[in-house]
Structures are given as structure tokens and as C-alpha cells.
Amino acid sequence: MKASSSVGHLGSGTRYIDAPNLSISIGETTLAYRDLGPRRGVPLILLNHWGAVRDNFDPRIVDGLASKHCVIATDYRGIGASGATAPVTIDEMARDAIALIRALGFEKVDLLGFSLGGFVAQDITLKTPDLARKLILTGTGPAGGTGIDKLGPVSWPLMVKGFLTLRDPKFYLFFTSTANGRQAAKAFLKRLKERKPDRDKGPTPGAFLRQLKAIKGWGKQAP
């Protein structure tokens, strides 16, 4: 793939909420990312959950990681500031991520995948085992994993609950219904709003559903 950066090379280290929005053109697709942390060592690529944009990464976690590592946070194709149409397979998402990593000039990376991002991280590793040094999988599962293809039916009621209570659905999706859980949810959601200018736009309903189709496909694949 022919790749060209529309903004330049890696940005200087800073807090995640202040990190500039960067993008790189790969073929006819523009992929958005932010980078921070020292420009040495093996970079850490962050791959996020269903419907997430770069502003859904917890800035406190990213800042902690970036204190010692070069960190790259990305938007999937068709999500946030990335162009084109959202893929309907994990295979396509993994190929996009590999193309982004190669276009940025990295020959070895660490991958941190959360939920959907964990699916993508696993597929990247299977496709290019020479590329991934360390793999960090959080809140995720393997292809063909029990219940993964049922994520939609499990999630919709909690999303509706969020709508009816005027809360972000992540309040119910990511945290336990306990005093500690509710307190942690409020603190987390407050941190996600710390960045003020140049925020990513949320996913369109179409992109959201296309990602869900990819998740279902991953759940129905051979283990």
C-alpha cells in the first residue's frame, strides 16, 4: 500500500488530552491517530472497544503508559476522524492496523486491545507474528469464544437503560452495580470529558452496526 502522512511524523510527548490529532493516508483511506511519550523503544498501539473513538481511551491510563513508552492511539476506519466506511470483519480492521503500523515506520510493536480491540490485536498477531512483541488482551476473547456473537442482545438493554436514565451507557456496561462501581464509573466518565478542543465525533449508527456485525462474525469463527 502507498502511504503518506498528512500531518508529519510522531508528535512530541505531552498529556493525552493535549495530544494533537494526526492522520496518515494509506491508499485512499485516511486513518486518524494520536501519539505521545518518548520516541524510543518499542511503541505501544492502543486498539479500543466497539463504537469507541480516541477520546474513549482513559487519559489517565494513557498518560501512565506514555511515561515510559511511545503510545499510539487510533481510530478504526470509518470511526471518529478516520475516513471511509467501517469494516464488517475483524480481518479488515487488522489489515488496516497493520498498514498504519507499517506506514508509521515501525518494525516491532506492542499491542493493547480492549474488547473489540482485543480481537483485532489477536488477528494482527496471527497475520504478522514478526510484528508483535507483546500482546496485552483486556476484556476480550478468542475467535469462536462462548457468547461473543451474543454481545448485541446482552448490550442493548444496558444501552436503553443509559438512554432512559440520561447516562452514558458505559456507566452500566463497564462497571458493577455497587457503590464502588458507580463511583468508579462517574470518575471514569468525567476523565473522558477532560479533553475540550479537537475531540473525535462519535460513531454513526451505521458504523456502530457494521462493527457489531464484525463482532458477531468473530464469535462465529472457528475457535
Side-chain angles (χ1 to χ4, degrees):
M1 290 185 176
K2 182 180 179 182
S4 62
S5 175
S6 63
V7 178
H9 298 294
L10 296 179
S12 59
T14 184
R15 293 188 306 167
Y16 186 59
I17 62 171
D18 299 320
N21 289 327
L22 305 175
S23 64
I24 194 162
S25 296
I26 301 173
E28 298 181 353
T29 301
T30 299
L31 296 179
Y33 69 98
R34 294 176 189 151
D35 100 71
L36 67 163
R39 303 188 192 183
R40 62 177 184 273
V42 177
L44 175 65
I45 312 298
L46 305 183
L47 302 161
N48 217 337
H49 63 81
W50 173 28
V53 298
R54 290 171 296 180
D55 293 313
N56 291 127
F57 289 111
D58 189 327
R60 210 66 76 250
I61 291 177
V62 178
D63 287 345
L65 294 168
S67 66
K68 295 183 179 180
H69 305 276
C70 171
V71 175
I72 309 292
T74 68
D75 274 339
Y76 298 112
R77 176 158 44 107
I79 298 289
S82 288
T85 303
V88 293
T89 65
I90 301 302
D91 171 78
E92 293 174 272
M93 295 182 197
R95 293 183 188 278
D96 283 345
I98 292 167
L100 172 69
I101 292 165
R102 298 293 194 199
L104 292 175
F106 300 133
E107 296 180 355
K108 187 74 66 176
V109 297
D110 294 337
L111 302 171
L112 191 160
F114 173 38
S115 191
L116 167 66
F119 307 159
V120 178
Q122 290 174 74
D123 205 40
I124 292 171
T125 306
L126 290 169
K127 284 178 165 56
T128 56
D130 62 314
L131 187 60
R133 182 186 68 153
K134 292 183 179 180
L135 187 61
I136 306 165
L137 303 175
T138 62
T140 190
T146 302
I148 290 176
D149 63 330
K150 303 296 192 299
L151 179 65
V154 171
S155 301
W156 293 132
L158 296 176
M159 292 180 183
V160 171
K161 185 176 181 179
F163 176 77
L164 294 176
T165 60
L166 303 179
R167 291 187 185 274
D168 188 307
K170 289 186 283 293
F171 185 90
Y172 301 107
L173 288 165
F174 292 174
F175 297 89
T176 57
S177 297
T178 63
N180 285 343
R182 289 189 289 271
Q183 183 178 357
K186 291 177 181 177
F188 168 71
L189 293 172
K190 184 178 180 180
R191 292 195 298 273
L192 293 190
K193 296 178 181 178
E194 288 177 352
R195 183 184 180 97
K196 302 303 181 184
D198 301 321
R199 291 180 62 87
D200 275 341
K201 60 182 180 181
T204 64
F208 196 71
L209 292 174
R210 288 176 72 84
Q211 284 196 335
L212 179 58
K213 186 174 181 178
I215 292 169
K216 288 181 179 178
W218 178 259
K220 291 182 178 180
Q221 280 182 210

